Amino acid sequence: MTKPNYKQISTYRTQLMGLAILWVMLYHSTVDFSSIPVLGTLQAYGYGGVDIFLLVSGLGLYYAYRKNTSTTLFYQRRLQRILPTYLPVVLLFCLLYWAMGEMSLLDVLLNLTTLSFWLGLDSRFDWYVPALLVLYLLTPLFMHFFKVRNKGVTVTVASLVGVLLSVVLSGTPLSYLLIFTIRIPIFFVGVLVGYLIDKHEVISRRNGIVYLGMLLTGAVLLAASQKYMSGYMWSYGLWWYPFILITLPLCLLTAGMLHWVAERKWSRFPFLSFCGAHSLEIYLIHERMLKITADLRHSLDLQVNDLVLNGISILLTLGLASLLKKAVTVFTARVKSGTAPAASAS
């Protein structure tokens, strides 16, 4: 059996993203699983799936930046991966909300520009993509220091900047930004993981003990803050700090378990792979499907319980996510083929 190593996070990156989006979907579910052991706990902390996304995104950006250090090309490729999927979905749903009288045209515009999150508007479409775009923006600056300085020190400094910024924002009118700033360390730890994989670093017994300690400490802090400091969870970001400790060990542990299963040829994880490959599309659609189906149930007075409603929403989400990805793939392929002759002619 292969010993746990950083490369397993890269090997099972798609499956980790699949598990992460399923965890986020469980968190967003309108069915209350709190009375069910383990499942209720997983639902309560399902926002941790976003931290997994950020870590593997940082890992991916390490390789993307290493392949080509042109900042302009780096930005261009990152935007091409996100915006052709993000903007149509935001436009479609925001126009639907506008038609229903739930959003103004100004709100639609602010959501398309991602300013709705940064301005703290209640009508914001999401926070994750606006935050990810800012992390993309910061990556070349971080990589400049990462390449020429001590890697561990660079990541530590970047992480401390994120934590200190979060402390400054805590309890202020800008505390809504904590959902992003506290995640900054996790993203740059992902970059470090990419470097460790590149250097074929192994996880020693001592490192394994440290990671286990981080995981347990984070879990204890999470449970303690929930029990004794629940009144400060949102305004001071206590929901998210423990995942700075939890995320990397959790990814290593989960990737190791996936590898253990794959070694025995028990599964190739087709469903997890599908969910991981469509994670952005699922993330953008799922909550909106929950809202639309709930509104339809109310307006049509349908006798459908939450469990059935959530099941329908999941099926619709997976189907629409597949269609959206195919449509965007075809569109971008046509755009590239259409611009190729012009590019070669120049």
Side-chain angles (χ1 to χ4, degrees), residues 167-187:
V167 171
V168 170
L169 295 176
S170 296
T172 73
L174 295 176
S175 61
Y176 62 88
L177 294 174
L178 294 176
I179 199 172
F180 159 58
T181 58
I182 296 175
R183 264 71 180 250
I184 290 174
I186 295 169
F187 177 80

Side-chain angles (χ1 to χ4, degrees), residues 21-51:
I21 195 60
L22 290 173
W23 199 12
V24 171
M25 290 173 74
L26 178 62
Y27 177 69
H28 288 154
S29 172
T30 59
V31 179
D32 184 6
F33 293 107
S34 60
S35 61
I36 303 176
V38 181
L39 188 60
T41 302
L42 285 174
Q43 183 180 35
Y45 301 122
Y47 56 87
V50 175
D51 298 279

